[in-house]
Amino acid sequence: MNHVKSLATLSVTCLLLLLLVAWAPAAKPKKATAEAASKTAAPAASANDQLINTNMQAMLDQGRQTFRYDTFGDEAFWGGALNLQQAIAGEKLGGVGLGVSPKTALLVGLKVDADALPASLVEQIKAGKVNMDDPATTLALLKLNSVVGVTGFFDKAGKLESMGIQCAFCHSTVDNSFAPGIGHRLDGWPNRDLNVGAIVSLSPNLQPVADLLGVDVPTVKKVLASWGPGKYDAELDQDGKAFRPDGKSAATLLPAAFGLAGVNNGTYTGWGSVTYWNAFVANTQMHGKGAFSEPLITAGQFPVGARAHYNQVRDANDQITSKLAALQFYQLAIPAPKAPEGSYDKAQAERGKALFAGKANCASCHVPPLYTEPGSSLHTPEEIGIDDFQSSRSPTKKYRTTPLRGLWSHQKGGFYHDGRFQTLDEVITHYDQHSKLGLTPQEKKELAEFLKSL
């Protein structure tokens, strides 16, 4: 009996040893496989991948520089023709009039990049030792290149002799982290505080604008005064239509320049892509020196633009074309900002999301996750239930399905191209009535919360 037990014990022991031997060799390959997997998970970039990565970073850096600081030579217009720098400096500093103090500049919506300010100046501002009512302070800020979207050109004696503007003038703002109007840059955000008309009206010589439009200077000032904060009329120097049939200004809201990746049409009326619109604005609106072609700018629809030869621009000193590719690259890299925590009701937004895709039928045009239409995104005025005034000012004669990402960040000034709807509730009510959706008051509220969350 003991012999049998010993034999059984020996058999069990041998079996365990066999299992251990069988298992032990298997453990090493597993470890080796894991190590091999970790090594192959991130292979060294190929020469072509390295080339792409290097080019990507170079394009991003160049595009950011262009967006923020490049005037494209437009100082020849704003400084050389309109003499706007004289009004900024004021008579005491070699210009004309009272000059523009930092306080006045902030009131008309100009912004200051806090990151461009030296620490010593920051401390002086905090201590109240900087005179914000003195135009000399404005010139000091210009010398620091800290006024967003504006470049001052100074002579060797420090006198402001010219000035120009950049893309950031209209399409950047700041986060107000230092003070209202002073903070870190927010590229791509429309500056809905910026009163472009009031700023241009300061120019001592508006005759070039009057000559372009074929009117007198008082009429130019009347038009500029009608725009108000956050608005600009990019078609004025094309068709000369300064006012709508109802007598209201023809200016439109400054659009966002973020979240444009995957978006085909770059404007409210789909008048060209992002690259097209960059060239259009740099040449015909900023008055930079470059090249632009558009045979659709004809005397019939665009008498002012045709007379100014905006259908075929060719400057011998082209300072625009070589920068368009990187500028587009940077703009497409700017993401739409995420809605701040606590800025909307999450539970209601979740129900609104279902309404957006379902009963409200919003997603039929604002297709997630682009929240515009892939491919063609143009609609007739009748389709969206509004007048055709602005669409008729475009070669498309239509309106674009506006991308909705980051909508929460530019509610100031209203919605649609001209701000005709002051709130999201008004927008939803318009579509509810136009499309006969039958939304309840609660459903409208939930849909608005979802829109604020995008």
Side-chain angles (χ1 to χ4, degrees), residues 153-165:
F153 295 87
F154 295 83
D155 62 18
K156 293 180 179 179
K159 178 184 176 181
L160 181 63
E161 60 180 2
S162 189
M163 61 150 292
I165 61 172

Side-chain angles (χ1 to χ4, degrees), residues 73-82 162-163 287 289:
D74 66 20
E75 59 272 14
F77 178 77
W78 301 103
L82 302 193
S162 189
M163 61 150 292
H287 300 276
K289 299 178 181 296

Side-chain angles (χ1 to χ4, degrees), residues 38 86 154 173 202 224 228 281 298 300 311 351 366 378 381 383 385 399 421:
S38 66
Q86 293 183 12
F154 295 83
T173 184
L202 295 173
L224 294 174
V281 170
T298 60
N311 54 352
R351 293 191 292 271
H366 298 277
L378 299 178
E383 287 180 87
Y399 290 105
F421 299 118

Side-chain angles (χ1 to χ4, degrees), residues 343-353 355-356 360 424-429 432 439-453:
S343 64
Y344 63 95
D345 186 300
K346 289 186 177 180
Q348 291 194 39
E350 193 62 30
R351 293 191 292 271
K353 182 178 182 180
L355 288 165
F356 187 91
L424 288 172
D425 293 335
E426 290 181 17
V427 175
I428 294 168
T429 296
D432 180 45
L439 297 174
T440 67
Q442 180 59 29
E443 287 174 332
K444 291 179 182 178
K445 186 175 182 180
E446 291 167 352
L447 190 54
E449 290 303 301
F450 174 65
L451 292 173
K452 289 190 290 185
S453 74

Side-chain angles (χ1 to χ4, degrees), residues 1-208:
M1 189 69 178
N2 290 336
H3 174 72
V4 173
K5 286 183 178 179
S6 298
L7 185 61
T9 300
L10 181 62
S11 298
V12 170
T13 302
C14 289
L15 180 60
L16 289 172
L17 287 171
L18 286 171
L19 288 172
L20 287 171
V21 170
W23 174 82
K28 290 182 179 179
K30 283 184 178 178
K31 184 177 181 182
T33 301
E35 290 176 353
S38 66
K39 290 180 180 178
T40 58
S46 67
N48 191 55
D49 282 346
Q50 291 179 37
L51 178 65
I52 293 171
N53 291 339
T54 300
N55 181 64
M56 174 184 69
Q57 190 60 54
M59 292 275 281
L60 191 69
D61 293 341
Q62 182 188 340
R64 180 187 288 114
Q65 180 73 17
T66 297
F67 186 89
R68 291 183 176 182
Y69 304 114
D70 208 309
T71 65
F72 306 118
D74 66 20
E75 59 272 14
F77 178 77
W78 301 103
L82 302 193
N83 296 322
L84 187 54
Q85 78 282 356
Q86 293 183 12
I88 293 174
E91 186 176 359
K92 291 182 178 180
L93 297 172
V96 297
L98 299 175
V100 176
S101 68
K103 186 178 291 185
T104 300
L106 293 172
L107 284 175
V108 295
L110 289 171
K111 306 296 181 181
V112 175
D113 179 6
D115 295 318
L117 304 179
S120 57
L121 180 58
V122 170
E123 292 305 315
Q124 288 178 334
I125 294 174
K126 288 180 178 179
K129 295 180 179 179
V130 176
N131 188 353
M132 301 297 279
D133 292 307
D134 189 352
T137 304
T138 302
L139 268 58
L141 293 172
L142 284 171
K143 287 179 179 178
L144 291 170
N145 214 16
S146 65
V147 181
V148 175
V150 181
T151 295
F153 295 87
F154 295 83
D155 62 18
K156 293 180 179 179
K159 178 184 176 181
L160 181 63
E161 60 180 2
S162 189
M163 61 150 292
I165 61 172
Q166 298 96 27
C167 302
F169 183 67
C170 291
H171 302 290
S172 287
T173 184
V174 296
D175 62 6
N176 302 320
S177 55
F178 182 80
I182 307 175
H184 306 296
R185 286 176 180 261
L186 296 173
D187 283 351
W189 292 46
N191 186 351
R192 294 287 173 85
D193 297 319
L194 187 69
N195 196 328
V196 180
I199 294 170
V200 177
S201 286
L202 295 173
S203 301
N205 181 26
L206 287 172
Q207 193 60 49

Side-chain angles (χ1 to χ4, degrees), residues 373-429:
E373 286 161 297
S376 178
S377 59
L378 299 178
H379 295 272
T380 65
E382 293 77 17
E383 287 180 87
I384 57 178
I386 64 171
D387 64 88
D388 68 349
F389 174 75
Q390 189 63 26
S391 62
S392 69
R393 305 180 78 192
S394 163
T396 70
K397 305 293 179 66
K398 295 181 179 181
Y399 290 105
R400 172 193 72 162
T401 300
T402 299
L404 299 181
R405 284 288 190 189
L407 190 64
W408 65 272
S409 66
H410 51 95
Q411 297 184 65
K412 187 173 186 177
F415 300 94
Y416 274 43
H417 58 281
D418 53 9
R420 64 182 59 197
F421 299 118
Q422 290 300 302
T423 65
L424 288 172
D425 293 335
E426 290 181 17
V427 175
I428 294 168
T429 296

Side-chain angles (χ1 to χ4, degrees), residues 361-377:
N361 200 33
C362 307
S364 63
C365 294
H366 298 277
V367 182
L370 291 178
Y371 290 97
T372 184
E373 286 161 297
S376 178
S377 59

